[in-house]
Amino acid sequence: MIQRTTHAPYPPGDGAPRRWRRLASAAVVATVTAAGLVAGTAAGASAQPQGHGGGGHGSHQGTKPVDLDVLFVGAHPDDESGRLSTFGEWGEKYDAKVGVVTITRGEGGGNAVGPEEGPALGLIREREERSAVGTAGVDHVFNLDKVDFYYSVSAPLHQQAWDVDDTLERLVRVVRETTPDVIVTMTPAPTPGNHGGHQEAARLAAEAYAVAGDPAEFRSQITSEGLRPFAPAKLFLNSARGSGPVGPTCPTGFTPTDPTDDVYGVWAGERSSESGKTWALIEREAQRKYASQGWAGFPDPSTDPNQIGCDYFTQVASRVPFTRGDRASATTSSATMLEGAILSRKGGLPLGTGLELTGDTTDVVPGQSVTLQARLTAPRNRALAGATGTVALPDGWDGTARVRFGTVPAGRTVTRDVTVTAPDDAASGARALVGLDVTAGGRDGYTNQKLRVLPDVSGTQQLLPQVAEFEEWAPEVGLPQLRGLVAPVLTLPSGGSRTVGVDVTNHSGATQSGTVTVDLPDGFAAAEDTVAYEGLAPGATQRVDFAVTNTDDSLPTSNEGGVGGDYAYTITTTSASGSSTATAALELVPTTQVGETAAPTLDGTVAEGEYASTIDLSRRWEGDACTSPADCSATGYVTRSGDDLYVAAVVTDDVKSAVLAASDCKRHWRVDSVEVAIDPAGTSENTSTTFKIGALPFTAEGQSCAARDADHTQGPIGAFPMTGEGGSDETTLDPGNVAPGFAMASSVSTPYTGYVVEMKIPLSALPATVDPDRMGFNMFVYDSDTQDKAGQTRIGWSTWGGVQGDPYRWGRVELGGGAPPAVESTPPKLDFPALDSLESPKSIEQAVRSGVGLSGLPTLAPKRTARVVRATASGGTAVVTVDVRTPGTAHLFAVTGDEQEVGSTEVALRRGRQQVRIPVSATPSSVLLGFDPDGATGTASSSVQVR
């Protein structure tokens, strides 16, 4: 069983979320219907084919749920925005109905259009998303109402905040209600900088793909709600690894990093037949709807078709025949991805055919064999006559050449074994693709399986905890091919040492002994280059440790070191059968020693000798390059005085950003600002156990201000003195101060050439006791040269993309002075407010229109709970009649014809027909009701025209 990280605790004795036990025990077998829908059943259970939308929904629902073809699953509004050109083209060309699931409303993001945050910002972002996707012809956005919080690259933290089992249940319900044949999602791997919410949304999409067709999963949806199991046909990621050209040849000119990847490109230079605009331009017009995210000013794409690129997708699972993106038959048509699922291919097996090549294991050792299962399912309404399959093996491989399925009766599945043997000299660590071409009745189809070649014994640098968790998750959900997307890296301080573990795994059938040797790059040394292991049982893993030191502290650190920040090296592992090699990398983080001084004066200036240590803050880690030191550069200062840490940043900047009000002192990255990040013990896996503070050097009130963000305890701290033009020396602490004893001051030059920020941070205000030998520390400077609350450049001390969310990549401080004060550790704050769909008139309107309930919860019949039956308006009041069968809370909205809200109320209603008065600011055209019945899970939605 997979053990989760310590940052995502679960009830004692439970060990792991219920979903892990579910995925480990349920192997889903596809059953395909005549219309192309795939209904899954657990292995060993009898197949129960379902028609596409054919009564798969409970009769209790007032409106038959919308039948979708494609469903995108993302974490936040705008996650779908980079693929709207494809979704729009599919809708126009092939009448494909596309929907979007957004797990949160992005309440934790920035706001470039006003001071709103939390649920109020969520309402803005939902409206932006519905407008944006509507530009591309997408009419359905399903919100799951989970909380969005600060930027974090931790999927486990999102699992904890989202109550992951509940979120999966909601997503599976939406899949079963809307029956999408194709699911598109984001990248689930913890690649550097990948938002943890994006990772977790993708994992949930993959898990829903795996279990939505299994009647044993979330069984009450079937027994109580009247839904049916439904397994989508294909699963895609909205990304691809590799490179390709721009212009019309981009769909077929892409070169994947891994040749076994099934990558598809859809050229955005095609023109819409309805608007005459390129789909790239339509997508850009949609993206501009996200004004709260600073996107309103995005420029037009090129008008030269040869400069317009592709949307790329990677297929990671398919239950139906498909065409590879690199096959000659794969043209520039955007239909290729949809073929076999919702579109027929000329000469292809009939729509509704299921075809898979799977195996209990997809790992193979050189010279050894693996057995795969080839499954062919006939459409519900027709047999597949005389079906045969030809196996395409990699060069030098042996195995089954042909399989005979015979005649497969309508709606039935025939399974045949395919044995594959790797050659003795198969390259370890390589991926090998086994293809299967099937013909029946003069038609053909294709599927494949990716195998991973492993040596008898492998040695791999220890993985970061989140990467290790992902590597175990991927095969559990049936996607073993996703393993290895994240290169193994570890950090160590410049000029310092650490223990580097190498995990030795025996993939053979015999006990093994041997050695592990590390060939470190120049400037690094191990106490011993070679370490022995012995008595390693088949299937077992043993860790051997190396004491590694950075012997050359002049080597560049951060993203300036090595290649992209990585100092690569080779690990060689020997065994009785030979040796294998693996690559890994070390990353250097900057270090500094901070001694004690007298307490600096917080006056917005840095005097000679005030600070013990100086650090360079001019390295760029994200955004546009600084055009010159005058454009953006900075120096940081750090010292200790007693139990307080003092920090300062002297920033050179030639353009002053937008000026926020002190009341809007949050989301500091929107404007010119400084961020300080401290990991007290130097061991944090994510920022929920750290201290991070963002400071604005100037505000509209002539003060500086600070707030904690994306850390253990977020919230405003207060306003502080600022010298310079319009400055004020007032100090206003927030009543709910989240950093007791914190103080700061700033100075801003006149004329503007930059600013200085000084801070006092009590060590007792940190979330844990400081380890003076390894305290994690970082400083970042955000530079904005516009007035639209959108940053351009990010510079700092220890720098990589997404580094603000990766404490392991922060710099290291050796803190002088006496023992730091003891701090009692407490759980991090994750109880952020999220918008409820009952508070969103647009969500209620969609529930009425689509027949799919709010929040991913059960859809209750209005006739059995409550419904609006009449509405009139006169003299600034709308009078609404509600027929109530079950007591509960009514959320009523009066809206105009263009869906603008002009009045609302929330009221508890008893049984019977009742009248509710809604004050309105204009004459409404309709009234919407979202009803939350007492003592029941789920909601009912209805609407009525105003007479």
Side-chain angles (χ1 to χ4, degrees):
M1 180 179 293
I2 295 176
Q3 297 298 313
R4 312 293 273 176
T5 74
T6 57
H7 299 295
Y10 297 99
D14 202 24
R18 182 164 52 91
R19 76 174 185 183
W20 292 110
R21 295 193 291 277
R22 172 188 307 119
L23 296 172
S25 62
V28 177
V29 179
T31 301
V32 184
T33 72
L37 167 73
V38 183
T41 59
S46 60
Q48 298 292 328
Q50 312 296 327
H52 198 214
H57 310 289
S59 60
H60 62 272
Q61 299 197 27
T63 302
K64 184 178 179 180
V66 61
D67 178 15
L68 296 178
D69 298 299
V70 179
L71 185 67
F72 175 86
V73 179
H76 319 97
D78 75 38
D79 285 347
E80 80 297 315
S81 62
R83 296 297 178 265
L84 286 177
S85 60
T86 295
F87 297 157
E89 184 174 345
W90 284 347
E92 182 182 287
K93 277 191 174 182
Y94 315 117
D95 197 28
K97 292 184 176 62
V98 181
V100 174
V101 167
T102 304
I103 294 174
T104 80
R105 285 182 173 82
E107 296 96 337
N111 185 358
V113 297
E116 296 87 355
E117 60 180 332
L121 176 57
L123 201 59
I124 291 172
R125 296 196 66 182
E126 179 191 348
R127 290 169 179 162
E128 289 176 340
E129 180 172 37
R130 293 186 183 279
S131 177
V133 302
T135 302
V138 176
D139 297 326
H140 302 283
V141 178
F142 306 98
N143 293 106
L144 301 189
D145 292 2
K146 292 301 180 176
V147 63
D148 181 45
F149 52 101
Y150 52 78
Y151 173 78
S152 170
V153 295
S154 171
L157 192 64
H158 282 78
Q159 292 160 14
Q160 180 181 350
W162 287 355
D163 184 1
V164 68
D165 282 340
D166 177 71
T167 308
L168 179 59
E169 182 174 8
R170 295 185 189 208
L171 180 56
V172 167
R173 181 179 287 109
V174 173
V175 169
R176 287 172 172 173
E177 287 183 307
T178 61
T179 61
D181 302 285
V182 174
I183 290 181
V184 181
T185 190
M186 311 186 80
T187 300
T191 50
N194 189 15
H195 195 298
H198 298 169
Q199 297 174 43
E200 187 55 27
R203 295 194 195 189
L204 287 161
E207 290 165 11
Y209 176 90
V211 305
D214 186 349
E217 299 304 330
F218 304 115
R219 187 157 180 78
S220 66
Q221 293 182 5
I222 298 165
T223 59
S224 300
E225 300 174 39
L227 301 180
R228 288 186 177 182
F230 179 86
K234 293 187 176 188
L235 175 66
F236 291 93
L237 306 184
N238 67 344
S239 59
R241 296 180 302 141
S243 61
V246 294
T249 63
C250 63
T252 54
F254 187 82
T255 302
T257 301
D258 181 351
T260 65
D261 282 351
D262 290 308
V263 176
Y264 300 83
V266 179
W267 184 46
E270 290 278 356
R271 292 188 178 273
S272 163
S273 60
E274 296 179 359
S275 69
K277 302 175 183 178
T278 64
W279 286 107
L281 178 57
I282 293 172
E283 178 178 278
R284 182 53 49 85
E285 291 174 345
Q287 291 170 341
R288 290 178 186 140
K289 304 291 186 180
Y290 290 106
S292 70
Q293 303 309 293
W295 293 10
F298 278 7
D300 282 352
S302 175
T303 57
D304 179 0
N306 293 312
Q307 299 303 313
I308 297 177
C310 271
D311 290 344
Y312 287 110
F313 303 83
T314 302
Q315 180 178 282
V316 292
S318 177
R319 295 179 168 116
V320 297
F322 61 88
T323 302
R324 289 206 79 198
D326 63 350
R327 285 202 167 186
S329 57
T331 67
T332 58
S333 169
S334 57
T336 307
M337 290 172 62
L338 305 180
E339 290 174 349
I342 67 174
L343 298 177
S344 298
R345 177 178 62 83
K346 184 177 181 180
L349 293 170
L351 198 63
T353 299
L355 181 61
E356 292 183 272
L357 187 62
T358 62
D360 293 334
T361 179
T362 55
D363 293 336
V364 61
V365 174
Q368 302 299 313
S369 300
V370 64
T371 298
L372 305 175
Q373 286 73 50
R375 277 194 299 273
L376 179 63
T377 303
R380 183 178 181 181
N381 61 352
R382 63 188 295 180
L384 296 176
T388 61
T390 301
V391 180
L393 296 172
D395 291 342
W397 290 55
D398 293 322
T400 305
R402 292 178 63 82
V403 292
R404 298 187 181 278
F405 296 99
T407 295
V408 183
R412 296 299 184 91
T413 300
V414 173
T415 302
R416 296 287 185 262
D417 286 345
V418 173
T419 301
V420 178
T421 303
D424 293 335
D425 60 353
S428 297
R431 310 274 185 168
L433 197 66
V434 178
L436 177 65
D437 289 285
V438 172
T439 59
R443 298 188 176 195
D444 62 84
Y446 171 83
T447 190
N448 61 36
Q449 179 57 254
K450 184 184 295 188
L451 302 181
R452 182 175 65 161
V453 181
L454 296 174
D456 281 348
V457 180
S458 64
T460 305
Q461 181 177 276
Q462 70 182 85
L463 300 176
L464 295 167
Q466 289 181 33
V467 179
E469 186 236 17
F470 174 78
E471 291 289 304
E472 294 188 67
W473 170 85
E476 291 284 357
V477 78
L479 300 174
Q481 66 271 28
L482 294 179
R483 293 174 299 183
L485 292 180
V486 185
V489 299
L490 293 174
T491 57
L492 74 161
S494 176
S497 302
R498 70 161 296 157
T499 298
V500 174
V502 174
D503 292 325
V504 184
T505 302
N506 183 0
H507 306 286
S508 73
T511 299
Q512 297 279 358
S513 299
T515 61
V516 180
T517 301
V518 292
D519 184 12
L520 297 172
D522 293 342
F524 297 83
E528 294 181 90
D529 291 333
T530 300
V531 176
Y533 70 93
E534 60 182 19
L536 187 61
T541 297
Q542 174 183 327
R543 178 167 292 181
V544 298
D545 291 329
F546 294 85
V548 176
T549 300
N550 170 221
T551 56
D552 182 359
D553 61 6
S554 68
L555 289 178
T557 63
S558 303
N559 55 352
E560 295 177 351
V563 178
D566 290 351
Y567 289 93
Y569 72 99
T570 301
I571 299 170
T572 301
T573 305
T574 67
S575 66
S577 57
S579 65
S580 65
T581 60
T583 58
L586 300 172
E587 297 178 336
L588 287 176
V589 298
T591 63
T592 189
Q593 294 180 332
V594 175
E596 280 202 278
T597 65
T601 301
L602 296 184
D603 57 3
T605 61
V606 175
E608 183 78 23
E610 270 194 309
Y611 291 85
S613 179
T614 303
I615 57 178
D616 178 15
L617 302 183
S618 296
R619 292 191 181 107
R620 180 174 66 97
W621 52 285
E622 282 181 352
D624 300 334
C626 299
T627 58
S628 68
D631 176 31
C632 48
S633 60
T635 301
Y637 299 85
V638 190
T639 199
R640 177 181 179 179
S641 179
D643 288 339
D644 297 320
L645 191 71
Y646 286 81
V647 299
V650 177
V651 179
T652 301
D653 180 23
D654 59 353
V655 178
K656 193 174 184 179
S657 72
V659 181
L660 302 179
S663 61
D664 195 18
C665 191
K666 56 184 180 292
R667 315 294 191 260
H668 54 275
W669 57 85
R670 297 173 291 162
V671 293
D672 292 338
S673 62
V674 172
E675 179 178 336
V676 176
I678 302 174
D679 178 10
T683 58
S684 292
E685 175 64 20
N686 60 67
T687 61
S688 70
T689 52
T690 70
F691 177 98
K692 294 182 69 184
I693 202 158
L696 306 185
F698 44 79
T699 66
E701 292 80 1
Q703 297 169 294
S704 58
C705 69
R708 290 184 65 176
D709 177 82
D711 68 350
H712 180 275
T713 309
Q714 307 83 48
I717 296 174
F720 299 91
M722 173 191 128
T723 62
E725 184 178 356
S728 168
D729 61 0
E730 294 183 11
T731 297
T732 306
L733 294 178
D734 187 88
N737 186 19
V738 295
F742 174 88
M744 69 173 284
S746 73
S747 63
V748 179
S749 63
T750 304
Y752 183 77
T753 58
Y755 57 88
V756 178
V757 169
E758 289 188 290
M759 303 181 190
K760 181 186 80 171
I761 303 172
L763 297 178
S764 59
L766 304 183
T769 303
V770 166
D771 181 341
D773 295 325
R774 56 172 302 156
M775 185 181 84
F777 181 84
N778 221 339
M779 290 183 71
F780 309 114
V781 175
Y782 296 83
D783 179 52
S784 173
D785 290 346
T786 73
Q787 299 302 303
D788 60 2
K789 301 178 187 178
Q792 278 70 53
T793 303
R794 297 176 176 184
I795 57 178
W797 186 39
S798 188
T799 50
W800 278 273
V803 69
Q804 77 271 42
D806 270 332
Y808 80 96
R809 280 176 158 166
W810 295 352
R812 184 68 52 81
V813 164
E814 296 178 11
L815 201 61
V823 177
E824 181 181 356
S825 297
T826 57
K829 176 185 174 183
L830 284 174
D831 56 339
F832 304 100
L835 182 71
D836 191 312
S837 287
L838 285 165
E839 302 297 335
S840 167
K842 289 188 178 293
S843 289
I844 296 172
E845 183 277 329
Q846 178 182 280
V848 174
R849 171 169 46 86
S850 70
V852 178
L854 299 170
S855 312
L857 296 174
T859 305
L860 305 179
K863 290 183 178 180
R864 298 181 183 179
T865 51
R867 59 177 177 149
V868 285
V869 294
R870 179 182 174 84
T872 60
S874 177
T877 301
V879 180
V880 184
T881 302
V882 185
D883 185 15
V884 183
R885 301 298 179 91
T886 302
T889 302
H891 300 258
L892 289 155
F893 296 89
V895 298
T896 60
D898 57 357
E899 298 183 355
Q900 297 301 309
E901 177 189 334
V902 294
S904 65
T905 190
E906 177 183 332
V907 60
L909 298 178
R910 61 186 183 278
R911 286 188 181 88
R913 184 160 288 199
Q914 299 175 55
Q915 284 191 340
V916 179
R917 295 179 178 275
I918 307 175
V920 295
S921 59
T923 302
S925 61
S926 63
V927 171
L928 302 166
L929 168 64
F931 190 72
D932 184 12
D934 296 340
T937 301
T939 61
S941 303
S942 60
S943 66
V944 67
Q945 296 296 309
V946 175
R947 296 182 179 179

